[in-house]
Amino acid sequence: MNQIHLQIVTPEKTFPARTVSSVSLFTELGQITVLPGHAALVSSLVPGEAEVQEGGQASTFHVAGGFVKVTQKNGMTDIVVLADAAEHADEIDEVRARAAEQRAREQLASAEKLSEEEYALATAALERSLTRIRIARKRASHKKTFSDDERK
C-alpha cells in the first residue's frame, strides 16, 4: 500500500489515470498532501497548484476549484479530483493568463459599478489568473535550472 491511484476529471476532459506516490492540493482549510494510506476524505478545492509526485518526478497542475475524494480500495489509496478546470503546467499560456489578470483588475477597478456576483466573479478570475501565472513562472524557472544543469 505505497501507491496512490489518481484520477483528475473536469467538465472538458479526463486526464489519464495514473499511479503516484503523493498528491498535494489546496482545500478551503489549507494545503493537504495525500500519501498512501491516507484517511478517507471529501473536501472542497480552491484555485491553486496541485503537485503530483510520480516516480521521483514532480508534475504540477493548475486546479481551478472543485472537490477531492480520497478513499481506500483494495489496499490502495484512491484519489478522485473533480475540478471546475485543470491544466498541466506545460499547458498554461502565460500571455493569456496575464491578459486574464489585466481584464480582472480592470473589472475590479470599477468595483462600485459591480453587483456582488460580478465582484465575486472578477475576484475569482483574478485569483485563477495569478495562480496560473505563478505556476507558469515556476515551470519556466525549473526548465531553466534543468537546462543549466544539463550544460555542466
Side-chain angles (χ1 to χ4, degrees), residues 6 10-11 13 31-32 41 43 68 79 95 101 106 110 117:
L6 172 65
T10 73
K13 65 181 170 180
Q31 185 177 19
I32 63 166
L41 165 79
S43 184
V68 61
I79 301 175
V95 173
E101 174 194 11
E106 287 170 3
S110 60
E117 182 180 350

Side-chain angles (χ1 to χ4, degrees), residues 6-70:
L6 172 65
Q7 181 66 59
I8 301 174
V9 180
T10 73
E12 289 81 31
K13 65 181 170 180
T14 299
F15 290 82
R18 52 209 306 184
T19 301
V20 302
S21 54
S22 72
V23 179
S24 296
L25 301 156
F26 284 91
T27 71
E28 289 183 335
L29 299 175
Q31 185 177 19
I32 63 166
T33 298
V34 178
L35 299 169
H38 197 283
L41 165 79
V42 175
S43 184
S44 297
L45 297 172
V46 296
E49 180 178 345
E51 185 174 288
V52 176
Q53 292 289 330
E54 180 178 14
Q57 297 289 325
S59 296
T60 304
F61 292 83
H62 172 258
V63 176
F67 296 91
V68 61
K69 177 182 168 189
V70 179

Side-chain angles (χ1 to χ4, degrees), residues 59-120:
S59 296
T60 304
F61 292 83
H62 172 258
V63 176
F67 296 91
V68 61
K69 177 182 168 189
V70 179
T71 57
Q72 297 297 319
K73 262 194 216 172
N74 302 324
M76 182 176 241
T77 303
D78 191 53
I79 301 175
V80 177
V81 175
L82 301 173
D84 298 334
E87 60 191 324
H88 192 275
D90 291 337
E91 299 173 328
I92 296 173
D93 181 342
E94 190 174 350
V95 173
R96 281 186 47 216
R98 286 180 193 266
E101 174 194 11
Q102 185 60 38
R103 284 191 305 274
R105 288 190 187 280
E106 287 170 3
Q107 257 191 317
L108 290 170
S110 60
E112 65 278 348
K113 299 175 187 174
L114 300 176
S115 68
E116 286 183 28
E117 182 180 350
E118 291 169 329
Y119 183 81

